[in-house]
Amino acid sequence: MELSEEEKAYIKDEEVLLETTLKYLCQQLPQVQSATINANQAARELTKQVVNEWNDEERQPLISDEAVAHSILDIRKNSDKALLELIEEPYFGRVTTLEDDGSEVSFLIGKKSNIDAGIVDWRNGPIAALYFNYKQDEEFYEVINDRERSGKIKLRRSFKVENGHLIQIDTPEGIFRRGESGWEKLDVDSEIAAHRSRGMQAKEKSLPSILSLITKDQFEMITTDPDRPVIIQGSAGSGKTTVALHRLAWLLHENNSPVKAENTRVIVMNKSLAVYVSATLPSMGIDNVQTTTFNSWALSIIRKSMRTQPFFKFLNIPSFVEEIKFSEEILKAIDGLVEKQGQALDEEIKKQFSSRTAHLENWAKGKGKPLLPRLRDFSHEVKNSKLPEAEKQQKLGFVKKQISNQEDYLQDLYNLISDGEHLKKYLKPDPKLKSNLEYLKRLTDKNRVKKNLDYFDMSLVLRIIQIKNGGLPDGDGGTVSLDHIVIDEAQDFGPVEFAIMMDAVSDKHQITIVGDVAQKILSARKFIGWNKVVDCLGLEEDSIIQLEVSFRCTVPIMTLAHKVAGDPKKVEGRAGSAPEWKKVDNFVDLVEVLADWSRGLLRADPYKLVALICRYPKQAMELKEEMEKYLPGEVRLGHRDQFSFEPGVLVTNIHQVKGLEFDSVALVEPDEENYPAKREESRNMIYVGITRTQEDLLLATIRPYSPVLF
């Protein structure tokens, strides 16, 4: 589309503005480097003087002191790093206000602040609100630095800047994009594509920045009261995880909240997503935040809390056993177990201290405390009492034995799930309940002898530890009290896991929850539901953020996805190619089709990341070995934490790709055997698989396709 002279003029203005901004930033770089050199020399000289004042015997410990002295340089190094990042992408937005007093004020909105260059960090809420909350020509009113500001938004534009080059300008008059032949104005369909696209010419893929696309409502939710929980329900590729992480980035910025990065957790479902998110956080200005899977986090706490190191593994158990272990009722059963133990302990204490009224009174005063802290306090009291020494040691031994018994969490677990009469009080009535509980007891008794632990027992053990200790032990004698927690892929967490995570936060309002029920692939873990999440957090149902439009997938792919999900509807988004369907006669032909398809994509764009997604890990391993014969050196296996997002061909399985995205995806053997229509999770798995791609989708199979696809 031919540009008008006026359009050419303001494109030129924006190019000049970027050039000027980059000039200011580059001029600062030598200053920072010079300051770093001077600080380095000063630190070394100071350290040298201090060291020389100590004798030889005392110098050795000062090696660490020297390291501490030099650590002050990290501040300057970080400044250097911030400048380099700004030079690559200095800003994404620009707003000019016409104030009521007749003055004009302009701001550039970026991921970091640089006052000299006129760039304001988007996390500076009051100023950034002028960009996020208003459109061009709208009247505005904001309180900035305790001063009322009002007027009109004279200009509002968004930009894409990559590696210091302006490639896109968004204006109310349209979107302008730099192409091979120069600047062009995009038509409506191309505008949608431009809004959804991101630069992928990079060695490592990461979550896209959607800052320039954040709506007023989303910005208000991201920057809302730091003591308010945020819940996001969104379709595949809608940016829900990215919005959640931007919320965290805002909370961690300067004085926005008391949340500290080192006391924050991002909890995800699988290790591959943990790797992905961890690599992304620094680009959002988030440092020192631990990203972990729930199981990794749980196991680290369990190992700190127990004398023996338990080993959890996947056991072959009936589905009803999983359902019991992941039920809401099991939470009440755990509470009931600990309550019974507390009552039994009361009786033992009464017998042991029957003649010591003062001690019994002190024990009674601790009623209401968690079991183990109460016992430990009582042990300390006995130890410091004026009882005769022999009696003191006897009673102290008794109390210590009770502590040891109460810390035998594995026996607690075995006792819990083998006690059918106890469980029957809490589980929902069912004609098969009696026989199921009898089976569970026999299974548990065998596991107790062999010291077997099901992988699904991990959350139960952790909950027992949490209840008995009044929190999750931190390994230093205290309990975990997180400032904030982000829960991703919430729909695949069960009630026990939710309870653990919510109780691990110092304030239950310090929580961000992200999920999509259409992507639930772990059927045994019954999601508590959004209504219950809302109730637990004391919110209204309409407080859930709904994100519907996919930033990731094209219209043809999302149309198929909605069909698979059983919710066919008109899809908005960017245009793209229709999914390819390939049915072959045998495995050799299947490998050849996948190899040819992958090779063609990489020839067209060597930066592409192509994912071949199988149903099971074993299938992925076998396919990887065969693919290497056709594409040597370009194929790698993606399994758990062995994940790389560099360009090439990645062979993996459906459980590893939750929350991830790729340039191109082949769903391998989406047939009835791998994805039986009678199983609800099959539909969700296929939905997850086909929505991992940004551009290309291939469905390749030997056997007939699963009916889920039609």
Side-chain angles (χ1 to χ4, degrees), residues 583-592 701-702:
K583 188 176 183 304
V584 297
D585 295 327
N586 52 61
F587 184 68
V588 174
D589 290 348
L590 178 68
V591 176
E592 287 183 354
T701 186
I702 302 169

Side-chain angles (χ1 to χ4, degrees), residues 191-202:
E191 284 189 14
I192 296 172
H195 273 306
R196 306 291 182 255
S197 69
R198 58 183 178 142
M200 293 299 293
Q201 301 295 306

Side-chain angles (χ1 to χ4, degrees), residues 499-654:
I500 291 169
M501 290 186 285
M502 288 187 177
D503 287 350
V505 186
S506 56
D507 182 346
K508 70 177 183 179
H509 293 147
Q510 285 292 342
I511 194 164
T512 302
I513 301 175
V514 178
D516 176 17
V517 291
Q519 298 184 60
K520 179 171 178 58
I521 63 175
L522 300 177
S523 59
R525 299 183 181 185
K526 302 298 183 184
F527 178 47
I528 63 175
W530 293 116
N531 290 337
K532 185 155 290 187
V533 170
V534 165
D535 289 343
C536 289
L537 298 176
L539 300 176
E540 301 295 327
E541 188 175 349
D542 61 3
S543 59
I544 299 175
I545 302 175
Q546 298 287 344
L547 301 179
E548 298 295 339
V549 179
S550 178
F551 288 87
R552 178 190 305 144
C553 304
T554 62
V555 168
I557 290 168
M558 284 308 299
T559 300
L560 175 61
H562 284 297
K563 187 177 180 180
V564 168
D567 182 30
K569 59 184 178 182
K570 186 177 180 181
V571 177
E572 296 182 1
R574 59 190 173 94
S577 303
E580 296 181 54
W581 302 74
K582 294 285 187 180
K583 188 176 183 304
V584 297
D585 295 327
N586 52 61
F587 184 68
V588 174
D589 290 348
L590 178 68
V591 176
E592 287 183 354
V593 164
L594 293 170
D596 289 343
W597 182 75
S598 302
R599 188 186 295 110
L601 292 171
L602 292 174
R603 282 176 178 172
D605 183 358
Y607 289 98
K608 274 188 178 290
L609 174 55
V610 181
L612 311 182
I613 304 174
C614 303
R615 172 66 179 88
Y616 298 104
K618 185 178 179 181
Q619 293 173 331
M621 292 170 63
E622 292 172 352
L623 179 60
K624 188 257 186 183
E625 289 180 4
E626 293 301 315
M627 287 288 294
E628 284 182 329
K629 299 175 182 177
Y630 294 85
L631 298 170
E634 295 188 56
V635 183
R636 55 188 186 276
L637 186 68
H639 180 62
R640 305 185 74 174
D641 53 348
Q642 301 300 311
F643 243 81
S644 169
F645 297 96
E646 295 181 354
V649 180
L650 183 74
V651 186
T652 184
N653 67 85
I654 197 72

Side-chain angles (χ1 to χ4, degrees), residues 385-408:
S385 69
K386 296 181 179 180
L387 289 171
E389 189 61 28
E391 184 183 359
K392 179 192 292 188
Q393 293 303 319
Q394 184 266 327
K395 285 183 167 41
L396 190 61
F398 165 81
V399 177
K400 287 182 177 179
K401 184 179 180 182
Q402 301 307 310
I403 293 174
S404 180
N405 290 341
Q406 295 298 332
E407 288 179 337
D408 194 346

